[in-house]
Amino acid sequence: MIVRSSVPTSRGRRTRAALLQAGREAFEEHGYDAVRIDDVCGRARVSHGTFYTYFGSKEALFGEVAAAVVGEMFAASVVGAAAPDDPYARIEAANRLYLRAWAANSRLVRMVEQAATSEERFGRLLLELREVFVRRGAEGLKRLQEQGLADPELDPRLTAVMLGGMVEHFAHVWLDLGERADEQVAVDHLTRLWARAIGLTVTSGSREEGA
């Protein structure tokens, strides 16, 4: 009896990555319902049988593509150590990065939202996507409160949920529904609203100075 190793080979990893990339491209171009497994195989240049070596169904492939998008959006919107120490500037940077991450992934995020209406696992995936942003926002607000720079009476988590929802909804209206706005103007407005909502004490270097 031939026993296959459970450890993927380098060729196997490349094939799997090619299928994931092909699936992502197909879903983005045609939408979930219109994509067939044969379409994905053709893009990845593998056989139909090879697909099932790595994924049990189109749904399984979509699930992994969606999970990858969650990770990419979070990584793309991280404000690193190179950003200014000024709290207002860091909120501004976070808003800009989030809008750009949404622009790169909005079509797939909307597909996940649609899938979530019928499949619980996609609902959990959406919650995971939002949770990473909520947790980061809540932790940031708590630090500002401890430093005496934000309203101490605000609940950090609830505030992060509400203000994060504002940014997410604007991203949808702007990037998906066609609301006209210059990126810098949009980022500036979101940041002013966020800062005022948390009662941020603005430092002399902030963009809101003089507003």
Side-chain angles (χ1 to χ4, degrees), residues 157-172:
R157 180 175 176 82
L158 280 178
T159 303
V161 170
M162 293 172 183
L163 293 178
M166 172 188 72
V167 179
E168 180 183 345
H169 182 68
F170 172 74
H172 170 52

Side-chain angles (χ1 to χ4, degrees), residues 124-166:
R124 290 195 301 269
L125 192 61
L126 277 179
L127 289 176
E128 178 185 338
L129 171 60
R130 292 190 171 105
E131 178 61 24
V132 293
F133 290 105
V134 168
R135 186 167 58 248
R136 190 166 66 192
E139 290 170 353
L141 175 53
K142 188 174 181 180
R143 285 194 298 271
L144 292 176
Q145 290 172 322
E146 291 170 349
Q147 296 166 14
L149 298 176
D151 185 347
E153 296 185 2
L154 292 173
D155 179 281
R157 180 175 176 82
L158 280 178
T159 303
V161 170
M162 293 172 183
L163 293 178
M166 172 188 72

Side-chain angles (χ1 to χ4, degrees), residues 24 66-80 93-94 97-98 100-102 104-105 109 127-137 139:
R24 178 169 185 161
V69 168
V70 169
E72 287 176 19
M73 287 190 68
F74 180 73
S77 61
V78 170
V79 179
L97 290 172
Y98 180 85
R100 291 178 178 177
W102 185 281
N105 297 285
V109 172
L127 289 176
E128 178 185 338
L129 171 60
R130 292 190 171 105
E131 178 61 24
V132 293
F133 290 105
V134 168
R135 186 167 58 248
R136 190 166 66 192
E139 290 170 353

Side-chain angles (χ1 to χ4, degrees), residues 43-98:
R43 285 173 180 262
R45 298 182 179 180
V46 302
S47 69
H48 199 87
T50 298
F51 176 92
Y52 286 104
T53 300
Y54 300 94
F55 302 100
S57 63
K58 182 178 79 169
E59 291 79 6
L61 172 65
F62 181 67
E64 293 212 28
V65 168
V69 168
V70 169
E72 287 176 19
M73 287 190 68
F74 180 73
S77 61
V78 170
V79 179
D85 289 333
D86 175 64
Y88 188 92
R90 292 184 70 83
I91 293 173
E92 182 181 49
N95 284 330
R96 178 178 290 105
L97 290 172
Y98 180 85

